[in-house]
Each structure stands twice: as C-alpha cells, then as structure tokens.
Amino acid sequence: MNTGDTAWVLTSTALVLFMTPGLALFYGGMVRAKNILAMLMQNFFAMGIVAVLWVFVGYSLAFGGLGNGGFIGNFDFVGLKGMGSETFGSIPALLFVAFQLTFAVITPALITGAIADRMRFAAWVGFIGLWSILVYLPVAHWIFAGGWLAERGALDFAGGAVVHVNAGAAALVLCIILKARRGWPREAMPPHSLPLTMLGTGILWFGWFGFNAGSALAANGVAAQAFINTFVAASAGMLSWLVVERLKAGHATTLGAASGAVAGLVAITPCAGFVGAVPSIIIGAAAGAVCYLAIQLKFRFKYDDSLDVVAVHLVGGLLGSILLGLFADASVNSAGKDGVFYGGGWSLFGEQVLAVAVVFAFSAVVTAAIAYGLKAVLPGGIRVSEEDEAVGLDLTQHSEVGYSLERV
Amino acid sequence: MNTGDTAWVLTSTALVLFMTPGLALFYGGMVRAKNILAMLMQNFFAMGIVAVLWVFVGYSLAFGGLGNGGFIGNFDFVGLKGMGSETFGSIPALLFVAFQLTFAVITPALITGAIADRMRFAAWVGFIGLWSILVYLPVAHWIFAGGWLAERGALDFAGGAVVHVNAGAAALVLCIILKARRGWPREAMPPHSLPLTMLGTGILWFGWFGFNAGSALAANGVAAQAFINTFVAASAGMLSWLVVERLKAGHATTLGAASGAVAGLVAITPCAGFVGAVPSIIIGAAAGAVCYLAIQLKFRFKYDDSLDVVAVHLVGGLLGSILLGLFADASVNSAGKDGVFYGGGWSLFGEQVLAVAVVFAFSAVVTAAIAYGLKAVLPGGIRVSEEDEAVGLDLTQHSEVGYSLERV
Amino acid sequence: MNTGDTAWVLTSTALVLFMTPGLALFYGGMVRAKNILAMLMQNFFAMGIVAVLWVFVGYSLAFGGLGNGGFIGNFDFVGLKGMGSETFGSIPALLFVAFQLTFAVITPALITGAIADRMRFAAWVGFIGLWSILVYLPVAHWIFAGGWLAERGALDFAGGAVVHVNAGAAALVLCIILKARRGWPREAMPPHSLPLTMLGTGILWFGWFGFNAGSALAANGVAAQAFINTFVAASAGMLSWLVVERLKAGHATTLGAASGAVAGLVAITPCAGFVGAVPSIIIGAAAGAVCYLAIQLKFRFKYDDSLDVVAVHLVGGLLGSILLGLFADASVNSAGKDGVFYGGGWSLFGEQVLAVAVVFAFSAVVTAAIAYGLKAVLPGGIRVSEEDEAVGLDLTQHSEVGYSLERV
Amino acid sequence: MQLIVAIIKPFKLDDVKEAVKDLGVQGLTVSDVQGFGRQRGHTEVYRGAEYTVDFVPKVRIEILADDGDVERVVSKLLEVARTGKIGDGKVWTVPIGDAWRIRTGESGPDAL
Amino acid sequence: MQLIVAIIKPFKLDDVKEAVKDLGVQGLTVSDVQGFGRQRGHTEVYRGAEYTVDFVPKVRIEILADDGDVERVVSKLLEVARTGKIGDGKVWTVPIGDAWRIRTGESGPDAL
Amino acid sequence: MQLIVAIIKPFKLDDVKEAVKDLGVQGLTVSDVQGFGRQRGHTEVYRGAEYTVDFVPKVRIEILADDGDVERVVSKLLEVARTGKIGDGKVWTVPIGDAWRIRTGESGPDAL
Ligand SMILES: Nc1ncnc2c1ncn2[C@@H]1O[C@H](COP(=O)(O)OP(=O)(O)O)[C@@H](O)[C@H]1O
Ligand SMILES: Nc1ncnc2c1ncn2[C@@H]1O[C@H](COP(=O)(O)OP(=O)(O)O)[C@@H](O)[C@H]1O
Ligand SMILES: Nc1ncnc2c1ncn2[C@@H]1O[C@H](COP(=O)(O)OP(=O)(O)O)[C@@H](O)[C@H]1O
C-alpha cells in the first residue's frame, strides 16, 4: 500500500462526493424559485439511497468478478465482507469502494436536470433505486471492471460513457416519457438564481479534479496529466461556448461561461489520462461549440430536456469518447492506446463508437422499461398533476418553501 | 515522517476548517433573514478567537503531558515554542497542532444553533473565550490526549464526546439560561433560505471526511474504513429520518434529508475507525430516527433549542458513543477494542456510558457557571432587549443588513 | 518522484483553483444586485482565458530559463511539449505547471474588485489577456522562477509581491482610469448579499491553505509551518480588524470579520514558509488594523477602489513583504534567511522593499499602458455608458438578470 | 378618469396584460401582493413543526383609464382572469381627482 | 362600498388579520412596503462607511368593505395595530365606484 | 384630504423624498412595482433562448396630503421625477373619506 497514492485517492473521493451537492446547486439555480427544493432534494437523495445499495449489493455486482469480460459481477463482496484488510492496487480496497461509490451517486443525479419541475418525489425514489441497480451496475462492470466492452478494447478513463452518455441517454428517455413542462417552450422560465448556478459550477470544476485525476488511482504522472488536461479542457470549453454564443445570440452570458466549462469537463472525462494538454484544449473547445449548438435539438424535436442534460452530458460524453479514438496517445499513458492521429489506426475509434452506442441503447431501453413499470405500479403515476405543477413541487411534494426573505 | 500520511492530514485539516463556514451556512439558512448575519458572525468569530488562544495556551493545556492520565495538560508548548522540527507519529508536530485546532474551533461553534436570535455579540465573545479554555481544553485532554477517561478505556475516534456531547450539553444549558425567543413556539419562524442550509450540509458532509478519516492521522486502512463508514452512516441517517418524517408528518422534507445526514455523521464520529461498514449503516439509521424523535423534547420540556443542537448533536453524540460499546470490532482497528457484539463483554460499554455522563455533567455545570458569571459582569447582561430582538440582531448587534436584493 | 508530495500538491492545486470562484462570490456579495453577474463573469472568465494562454506560451515565458536571473523565460515549453514524463523537484513537472497556473488565474481576477460596476466586458477580455502576458509573466519570472529579483535575494514564499502587490497596483491604476461609479461616494451602494460574501470568505480561507502550504511543493515540515501560520494570521487579522472597527465605527461587523481574515491571509502569503507561528499572529494582526485604516485612502485621495483591493491586497501585500524582512527566521526554513529580529541584519529588508517597489512600479506603468491602449483601440472605449451603468451591467453586458425570486 | 384595481392569480398576468393591451390601454402598473380570503393558504412543515400560512401569492394590477373605457376594461379583466376556482380575486374602481404624465406634465386623459 | 387602507408595523399583521376576521370580514390583500415618517430609519456601516436608511419596513393592508362595516373595521384596526410607540402607521378610507368578484362576476356588496 | 400616488423611476426616489420633505410633508409610503407602458422592457437570453420581459422596475409613492397642499406637492413631484426620457411615470390623486393616525387615534388633517 502506498500512503501517497492513498492520500490522493482519499482526497479525490471527498472531492467527487462534493460534486453532487455542486450539481444540485448548478441545476437548482436554473429552475424557478417554486421548484428549487425539489431539485436539491432529488440530488441529495441520491447521496442517501445509492450508498446503502452500494454497500449491500452494488459494489459486488459492479466490481465482483473483476476482469471477467462478462456482463455483471457477482456476490463475493456483499456487505463488503472481508474487505477490511484488502488492498486494490496501491490503495486500501475499501477506499476503492468509496471512490467508485461517488461515481455511482452522481450518475443518476445528472438525470434530474432533464426532468425538472414535474416528477413526483415518490416516483423519483423508486426510479433512482431501480436505475442504479438495473442500468448503472451493468454498465460500470462492462467498462470500469474489465467487463466485455473493456475487454474488446474500449477506453474510458473516468466515465465519459459510464457516467455521462449513460445518464444522458436516461435523461432523454425520461424527459420524453414525463412530457414537457406546462407552458414550455412559450412561457418564460428564467433561472431563479444564477449566482447559485455559478457556485455550483465552481464546486463541480473543483471536484472534477478528483473525478478525473483521482481515476489514476495514484499520485503519479498520469494523475498530473489528467489534472492539467481537465483544467484546460474546461477553460477551452468556456471560451468556445462564449464565442459561438456571442456570434449567434449577440451576448457572452454568465450561464454560457458555466455551461461551456461543464461541457469541456464532460468531454475530457473519458480522455483525461490518455491524451496530452494541447489535444485536451481541442477536445474542450469542440465540446463548448458542439454542446451549445446541440441545445437547439430540444426545440427541433420538441422534447423538454429542461436544463440541457442531453445537449451537455449526452452529446459531450459522446463527443469526448469518440474524439479519444483520434487523440489517444500511448506515450502519455502506457495503459492507454494510440488513436488515429498517433498511428494507432481506426481500431480504437471503432471500439469507442461501439461502446457509446451500446451504453446509449442499453440505458435508453432499460430506463424506458423502469419508467413505464413505475407508471403502471405507482397509483398517482410518475408525473405531478397540473395543479401541483402550477403551485410548485416544493410545496406539493415537500410542504416546504425555499425562501422567506422578507425581514419581518 | 511519512509524506503520504502528512499529505492526507494536511488535506483533512483544511477540510475540517471548512466545516465551520459550512456549519455557519447550515444554521444561517434556518434562521430568519433579520438574524442571518448574527448567526454567521458567531460562527466565523470562533475561527478568529480560538486559533489565537490555541497557539498561546490552548494546545499546551490540552495536549501537554500527553498520556499523563490526568485532568489537564501543562505549559510545555506555550506559543508552540520548539515544535518546528518535531514530529507527532508520522506527521509534523505543527500539523497535529493545526488539525486539533480545527476541532477546538467547531466545537463551540456548534452551540450557536441552540441560542439563535437572542444573545448579545459582546456576551458571545466573552462566552466562547472562557468556554474554550474552561470546558473544551480539559475534556479534550481527558479523551484525545490520554487523560483519565482515555486511560480508563473509553474510545472516541473523532470526537463524539469531546465535540458533540460536549457542545450539546453546553447548548442545552445556555439556551435555557437565555430563555426562549419572543413568540416561540406559537409564532411561525420558517427558515429564510433552505438552499443555504443545503449548501451548508454539502460542505459539512465533504469536510466530515477530514474530521473522521483524518483522525486516523495517516493515509492507511483505518482511514479508508473511517471514510466509508462516515459516508454510509450519513446516507443511512438521511434515509431513516425521511422514513420516520414521512410516517409522522406526512412529507419527506429537504430540511429532513439534511438533518438526517448530519445526525448520521454525528453518531458515526466516535465509532468511525472502530467499526465495520454494515454496523455504520445501523448506527447512522438509528441516529436518523432517534434524533428526529428527540426534536419533540424541546416542545415537551419547554426549552427553545432553536435549531435542534440538543436533538441532533447531544442525542446523536450520546447514541454514537454508547452504540460503540456494542459494535466496536478490534479486527477493524487494533488500537480499538471489541464491543458486546464482538465478544468484548460490557467493559467498554460501561466506560462509554461513564465518559459521556462525565462530559455531559462537566460541560453543563461549567457552562452554567460561565453564563451566570457573564450575566453578572456584563452591564447589559447576555440577552438582547425585547426591542432589539424584534428589530433583529443583524441591525442591532452589527448595524448591517443581510440582503438588499431590489435591483434599483 | 514522491507520491506524498505529489498528493499534497495535487490537492493544493485544486484548492487554489477553487479560490477564484471563492473570490467571485466574495466580491459578488458586495456589489449591487444589478451587477452581480458581471462581477462573477469577470472572475470566471479568468479561469477560461489564462489557462489556454498558459499552456501555449504563459508557462514557458514565466518558468522557461529557470534561475537565469533574467527578465523573462523562453519558448522551451511552448504547448508544454515534452513535459509529460519530466519531474520538478519531487513532483511531476505537469503538476508544477498546473499549480503555477492557478496563481496566474487568480492574480488578474483580484483586480475586478477595484473596477466594479463600470467596465465593458469586451474591454475586460482584452485587458486580462494582455495583462496576464505583459505584467504577470515577467513578474512571476523575476521572483518565482529565479529571475533577477530572486537572484538579488528577495523572498516571496507564495506570492505576496507576485500576486497581491502586483494585482493591487494594477487595481489602483485601472480604477482611476475608469473613473468613479456614478453617485460614489454620496449614494449608498450596500452589499446585495453579505451571506454570499461570507461563503466566499470561507472558500478563500479553505483554498489559501493550498495557496501557502502548497507552495512548499512537498508534504513536509515547511508545509506544516506554512499551514499553521496561514491559519493564525487569518484569525489575528479578523480579531484586529474587529477591534479597530469597534473602536472607530462603533460596531464589530460581519463584513469586517471577513475583510480582516482576508487581510491577514494576504499579509502572511509572502512569509508563510519563512516565519514562526507567533510572528504570524503579529503579521496578521498588523494587517487587520493597517488595512482597515487604509480604506480611508480612497476617500482621502478620491479614487473609487470599489471593494478595497488597494486597501486589502496592495497594502496587505506590501506590509507582509516588508515585515518578512524583520521576522524571517532561517531556523524555520533553510531555504529562507534571517530577518532583522533574527540577527540577519537589514540586507533582506532592503531587498524586500526593492522588490515590492519594482513590482508596484512595473505593474502600475504597464497596466496604464494597456488601459489607454485599449481605450484607443476599442470603438466603445473601456467604460460602460452612463445609461448602461444605471440599468446595470448584468442586463447591458450579458442580457441576464441575477435573481428572479418571486414564486409566481 | 378612474383607477381600475384588480387582484388576480399570478399565472394569469401575461394573459391579462395582452388582453387589455389589445383594448388600447397604453400602460399599467403591477405589484406582488399576498391575498387572504376563502381560498385556503397552505401548511409548511419544518422538522415536524407545522405552520399554516394563510396568505396566497396574488398580483395587483392598477390601470388608469378614461371613464369611457372603464366598463370595457373591467369586463375584459373579469373574463380573462377567471379560472372558475376559488381565489380568482377581485376588481374594483376608484374615482380619480386628476392625473399627470411626469415626462410632459400633461394632465387629464392626455396623461394616459 | 369603501376601500380601507392601513399601513402597520409588520409584526402586528397576524393580530390584525385575526381581529378583522372575527368581525366577519371575508378577505383582505396585503403587501410589503417601506415607510418614511417621524419614526427614524437606521444606520448601516460597511467597511467604516456609514449609510443612513430612512425607510422602515411596514405592511400595507387593503380591505374592501361595505359602508355599514367601515366604521367597525377601522376602529378595530386602530385598536389592534397600536403599540403606542412612534411609527404605528396610518389608516384611511377611499370611496369605491364598484367592485366585482372575478370568479362569479358578482358586483356590489355580493362581490365581497 | 387626498391621496397622491406617483409611479416614478427607482433612482429618482431619494431626490423625490428630499423634495417633498422640504415642502413640509411629514411622511410617505413607498413600494416596489413593475411598470408596463411605452417604455419597452428588455430581452434576456438563457442558453440561446430569448425572453422579452415587458415590465420595467418602478417605485410607487403614496402621500396623504391636506387639500391645501396637494397642488404644491404634485407640481414638485412632476418637476423632480422628470428625466425627459420615456418611462418617467404617472402621478394621480384620489379623494379620501377620512384618515387616522394609529398611535393616537387622531383623524382628519391631524392624522398627517
Ligand atoms: N374584502 C376584500 N378586500 C380586499 N381584498 C380581498 C377581499 N376579499 C378577497 N380579497 C382578495 O381576493 C383574493 C381572492 O379572494 P377569495 O375569497 O380567496 O376567492 P374568490 O375571489 O374566488 O371569492 C384574496 O386572496 C384577496 O387577495
Ligand atoms: N403623509 C403620509 N402619507 C402616506 N403614508 C404616511 C404618511 N405619514 C406616515 N405614513 C406612513 O405611516 C408610517 C408611520 O408614520 P410615522 O410618522 O413614522 O409615525 P406615527 O404613525 O406614529 O406618526 C410611516 O412609516 C409611513 O409608512
Ligand atoms: N394607464 C396606466 N395605468 C397605470 N399605470 C400606468 C399607465 N400608463 C403608464 N403607467 C405607469 O407609468 C410608467 C411609465 O409609463 P410609460 O408609458 O412607459 O412612459 P411615460 O410615462 O413617459 O409615458 C409605466 O411603466 C407604468 O408603471
């Protein structure tokens, strides 16, 4: 066991856990004041339910049978029994469990942005429990735990596919099934507090260093490369989003700066430990521009992806995973491969396209199954009534009000 | 000296320092807008005064004469002289000083939740100075520095008794002496900004990894165990609080999710490095339910523990410290012992009960003495006048206003 | 390469990156609600543009030709080529690049406080790009990269001169060129959200441990000394500011506590790894009092340093750098020297005075040149029109509104 | 001239504004208010303690109108702001002494 | 019918609402306002710079009442809202042309 | 007695308050409102989607005044609140039945 590696992964695990409250504030600032608590609650609840599932069955099903090239793990580590004195590489096994847990928490949380303002909390409780087990665990096994996709040669350093494409696909399906918010897109629904969104962006960027550089599972050169790549990709994403926004909408906006940075962070996630700094700038810049343009998809195809999870996370994750097929550079990380631009030919590119296609399809299908299943089972269905939507989810789902600012 | 251990404790110290601003926001969101700054100021002021006292006399009185089984330290380390090149275990001695300082800062800060909206700032300045020296230093010596309670065999991994029972007892006494807020409990005093409270919860959960896993003073297996235990106890606390709340009050609330997570974090604090992951879920779940029910105590016994410091921190700290007597498992940590369920018999259980009883009694008595002493000495007493309370503490104590949001 | 050192510098780099969003919120809370987004955007934009410049040319010009005692680096590391497998001391070279990048980001961001509410965003984009290259890179080379000032013997552990005096001088010049805000100082412009400023203070204090203790570039005794020094200097700064404020203005204020802490942090920055704990309290206390009094300068000399960047960062940086000449203690850090009080005579003191004078002059002159250059080049000039200033920069520069809190 | 005052449900504001605009009304002034009436408020729960909040968010519209237009504007308001559910609100008219447009100093109907 | 308008101290709102409810008043409309009068505002200090704020938070209540009830309601308002300290506020009545209930279109006293 | 109501541009509030104070007016009540009129609102852009916001922030001032003072106060309001640009606002007067000072119960002009 290496204390330096353990220190960095302990820190990274805390950083990635902090990203879920950051995501809650990032999305929370963008919804209307009458729905702020419902958005915060859906994200914080993920920190509750997923951890307990993870200890009992989640970790074992995802990471049991490591490298078995299979579809799912096993029950060797139910209740994490016997893992107290084990190590995983140069870090304690229990630390690896905690690190991977933080990824399992934030992935379903990402979905909440697409389904803002209209899902019953009871339905969300059922959905996130089922989704974590039926969708996240298999996909995590395929790629993170040497399952069949990893064995075929697909690369995903920190979760471009496992986290972002996976959540993006589920977000697309669920926001369609839940139908649009009443009044969308005609009625103006401006963010109720952009400072809250900017605070969330700061926490996400801060935590993302743990997300990407922590995935090196060591305090080494690859971690340093992943760190600088993460930094400059976010910066490049911000700049390119602002340039495109300035040209097309006439103004560089604060929400644009935040969105571009997140798009850059999403796209570099699969590539962080496999590419160099300048390619990271290119990947980030591409994401900033492409994700901005992808926002128009929801107006074009009439689906209310309320806070643009599809445009930023699905498109950003797809773009990053596929660009990795071009820019991967084995000289950066021996555990990686060479992409098209580094003489590695098109094999990696093909595996990347296959991997994201499979993850997208699997997540979309099983998400639909879960959603329609819940719709049938839950008496009140999964969508709030029109009256409740008008009054707001804070009051109707949680009988709370977000702000009471009058100084009386 | 081990650079990996040092890196993790450097990080943990920063994380625990960050918990005090987190606590300020956690409590700040729950008070009315006319008292937000007074609550923030009482917590931030702790970061000022306690650090200076700590360097001159605090550290030496708490950790001087380490392991002397006594009542208090000595004056060997006044002004931290000579500690520059020393080490403490595998980390620099000055780092241990800083790490313990962050615990000395947040303990008195916890009291502010019980005495919201009615204590004069001048009185708080006097109180926190005296309390840190007369209450915190001795209790820290008894348990953290091998004082008489530690020598008897009581276990407290990260401060269940030293921090939470200690602060909870003081909170109970001081909120009674200060009498209830005008209009309590009849008048509605809803939280002015629950998003601020949720932000505080995110920072507390993030920082608590440093609080508990940092107390291993090393980047090792025990730190990893403490980390995962802290995570799942918070999650279990959230879930059980929400279940009980749903059944008794009809709604799962956002404030409930935050409160349950904190209750779980408080209860696992004494146990973090001495128990396994599944016992941590049990301890967290117990805390979530018991602390929710403990809130009724203040209505039953008519004391205005405004933000439930007694229900969450006193009861949570007592519960955690006592459950440790049952669930302690020496196979997890050789420095620990076996509890009742692990064949260790009832000796540890007895010591735990004794320890929390002694800490509760000592803190309650000395807190009362300090409060009545200040009441006699300070011309204006320690409570704000009825007019000042009606206008609000921000204006009357600090001549400031928290928010000026109109866009004029 | 040492994994423990690498773990701590990875963490420190993330902490210092987090300080820029912290600074944005610290300043953001102090401006009026109609200008909140413009302040956040100017700071977040620094995280975008500086990183990209840094990878291509910034790092190389600042840290190329390390120790050449010269005026500027070279083009050896353009695009960070070939740095993948290099080390810098006991950490990966790319990590050193990222760590120094975070300093290059926050330095120009500090300037935004002085020019609040009146600079066109397009002008800020041009200014920060040019300033980073023409002012920051040379100054960083002189002191951080063994340039001519470092060679002469000036000490600056974490950027007292390179960051705070440098930014403070630029802030003074730019706020004068931009002229005062309409209505200053007669019209009341109270902070729109002091809780936001307190959140920013908490993040800055948390991140500053990475800023100062990270500059040891290792997880060793010097890092521990820098850590405790940073902690107690902030505490002492808070206490002394509050005492002076209580005496002169009649009230200890929340904004005062925050400002004093930041003043202490600024002053200890150059000294952190070269002095002991008690001297750090003295330096912090001096900064708290001196910076409070320095606020009157802007009323005396009629320049609208809107959020007191001159009073806190310029004066605090000057004070810290000069006091280092008195309190430097080689027994604390062999890489340091002895100041006047430790038998080192006045040579270090002289070099410190020279260094800050040179940095002040250079930054002031080049900043003026950039500002007037932009004024000539940009069609609309660098200042917003009087109408736009009245409507607010959020709407006119970014066509956004910060808050929409009505629950409709 | 008269002042027409209407207390309506917040989400009806856009429809009402468009409707009176089409009637030729040059302007109106709006403010957030809290209403108390037959329509019940709601209950909020914080840590098990229940608070009933009797007030319901409403929007208050003020329209200066010439005598000749009052009747048309009032009936259009009644028509558009109606949901048929409790809490739709009230409309009332107040006689005006005189009115002026600050920019030009014009008074009487020209002030509209 | 008349409109009764009262400007009162914020913490008196609940007492006033309960009092007029007991008098049989069916509803009222409330809004946050800022008052300026004999009652002095306060001083705020930010980094040594003092600002006097002349305005004091008040609450504005509007009650549509039938002529017969106006006198009883006004005297109850005066009684309950009084603290005897400066800044208690004002009450005034305004004659009403007509009033309507949006939900049903009823006018006159039935609209209350 | 009459009630003078003015809708003005927010940044004019301080000047208006000082001006009427100098005329001997003892007090006034102010509230934040949103205005709609000839002065166009603004456009907000969030992720490429444009929203036009028709309402412009204004401030509403209410001054109870004795008949004799109304004319002087109104003309001072018109003079001070004017910028000459669109959106300066409106002033109007409303006849008052009676008025009372809550603290003392005084009615009529003494209530001012
Ligand atoms: N007597 C009154 N005076 C002033 N406002 C009233 C009065 N009665 C009702 N209102 C306003 O009208 C709103 C709706 O009235 P309510 O009695 O709830 O339903 P409805 O209008 O359908 O009868 C109330 O919320 C309140 O704002
Ligand atoms: N002439 C006036 N017109 C409108 N509102 C007024 C007037 N005078 C006072 N008010 C309102 O009444 C409130 C209290 O009045 P004030 O003169 O401070 O004390 P008091 O009511 O005890 O004489 C003021 O804050 C203001 O809101
Ligand atoms: N008919 C009206 N009734 C009530 N308020 C009005 C009316 N017309 C205008 N206002 C108010 O006066 C403000 C300014 O009016 P506007 O037509 O924009 O410019 P001007 O006053 O220069 O003609 C509006 O924003 C609105 O608040």
Side-chain angles (χ1 to χ4, degrees), chain A residues 406-408, chain E residues 10 32 57:
Chain A
E406 45 314 352
R407 284 177 45 252
V408 94
Chain E
D32 291 321

Side-chain angles (χ1 to χ4, degrees), chain B residues 406-408, chain F residues 10 32 57:
Chain B
E406 44 315 350
R407 284 179 47 254
V408 95
Chain F
D32 292 320

Side-chain angles (χ1 to χ4, degrees), chain A residues 179-200:
Chain A
K179 296 193 195 58
R181 287 166 293 177
R182 203 174 54 76
W184 183 82
R186 189 182 36 67
E187 199 187 305
M189 303 178 188
H192 90 281
S193 172
L194 278 178
L196 212 63
T197 293
M198 298 312 283
L199 167 61

Side-chain angles (χ1 to χ4, degrees), chain B residues 15-358:
Chain B
L15 285 171
V16 183
L17 178 277
F18 196 38
M19 286 172 70
T20 299
L23 185 71
L25 296 165
F26 178 71
Y27 284 155
M30 290 188 228
V31 297
R32 287 162 289 175
K34 64 181 180 181
N35 295 311
I36 170 68
L37 296 182
M39 179 54 77
L40 295 180
M41 184 60 160
Q42 287 181 354
N43 282 272
F44 272 83
F45 187 75
M47 296 163 70
I49 188 164
V50 174
V52 174
L53 292 176
W54 191 253
V55 165
F56 285 115
V57 68
Y59 176 73
S60 191
L61 282 173
F63 290 91
L66 198 68
N68 63 8
F71 183 82
I72 193 69
N74 55 35
F75 291 98
D76 291 357
F77 303 112
V78 168
L80 309 184
K81 64 181 181 323
M83 297 188 71
S85 49
E86 300 295 317
T87 61
F88 187 97
S90 60
I91 65 172
L94 281 178
L95 179 54
F96 181 72
V97 172
F99 183 67
Q100 285 298 337
L101 168 56
T102 56
F103 287 69
V105 166
I106 196 165
T107 304
L110 286 166
I111 301 171
T112 58
I115 57 168
D117 306 352
R118 58 200 191 274
M119 190 171 189
R120 285 178 56 224
F121 182 65
W124 173 252
V125 168
F127 179 83
I128 188 172
L130 291 169
W131 196 86
S132 298
I133 295 172
L134 300 179
V135 179
Y136 185 76
L137 297 187
V139 173
H141 186 74
W142 303 347
I143 295 179
F144 279 172
W148 69 285
L149 278 177
E151 207 172 51
R152 290 181 56 92
L155 291 180
D156 187 358
F157 190 75
V162 178
V163 174
H164 298 290
V165 171
N166 194 1
L172 175 59
V173 166
L174 195 54
C175 81
I176 293 172
I177 293 174
L178 280 166
K179 295 194 197 58
R181 288 166 292 178
R182 202 173 57 75
W184 184 82
R186 188 184 35 69
E187 199 186 305
M189 304 178 188
H192 89 282
S193 173
L194 279 178
L196 211 62
T197 294
M198 299 312 284
L199 167 62
T201 308
I203 294 176
L204 283 174
W205 194 325
F206 172 57
W208 224 299
F209 291 128
F211 198 91
N212 286 358
S215 291
L217 298 180
N220 57 18
V222 172
Q225 180 78 62
F227 196 107
I228 189 85
N229 290 353
T230 300
F231 199 138
V232 295
S235 308
M238 178 196 293
L239 295 181
S240 69
W241 182 296
L242 288 178
V243 165
V244 175
E245 188 178 42
R246 179 66 184 71
L247 297 176
K248 297 204 27 110
H251 281 277
T253 68
T254 323
L255 181 58
S259 310
V262 171
L265 288 166
V266 167
I268 197 64
T269 298
C271 316
F274 295 127
V275 300
V278 171
S280 300
I281 292 180
I282 297 166
I283 293 167
V290 169
C291 292
Y292 175 79
L293 298 172
I295 288 177
Q296 302 313 321
L297 294 175
K298 68 180 179 183
F299 297 110
R300 187 58 192 65
F301 296 102
K302 301 268 172 298
Y303 58 91
D304 181 10
D305 166 22
S306 309
L307 309 181
D308 302 303
V309 177
V310 172
V312 173
H313 292 275
L314 178 60
V315 172
L318 288 173
L319 186 67
S321 300
I322 291 166
L323 286 180
L324 180 56
L326 303 180
F327 290 101
D329 176 358
S331 75
V332 163
N333 180 348
S334 52
K337 295 196 182 69
D338 280 326
V340 174
F341 296 158
Y342 293 82
W346 290 87
S347 78
L348 175 60
F349 188 86
E351 285 311 322
Q352 293 302 106
V353 170
L354 172 71
V356 290
V358 165

Side-chain angles (χ1 to χ4, degrees), chain D residues 3-4 25-30 61-65 100-104 106 111-112, chain F residues 7-9 33-40 54-58 84-90 92:
Chain D
L3 180 69
I4 306 167
V25 168
Q26 292 299 323
L28 52 85
T29 300
V30 167
I61 305 181
E62 294 170 283
I63 307 174
L64 275 172
W100 296 262
R101 182 195 304 276
I102 295 181
R103 178 159 49 86
T104 60
E106 294 162 296
L112 300 188
Chain F
I7 308 288
I8 64 168
K9 285 179 174 166
V33 294
Q34 302 276 344
F36 171 72
R38 283 184 190 69
Q39 181 188 9
R40 279 293 124 252
D54 300 328
F55 291 98
V56 182
K58 300 286 177 189
K85 296 201 193 69
I86 294 199
D88 278 354
K90 302 280 187 256
W92 67 81

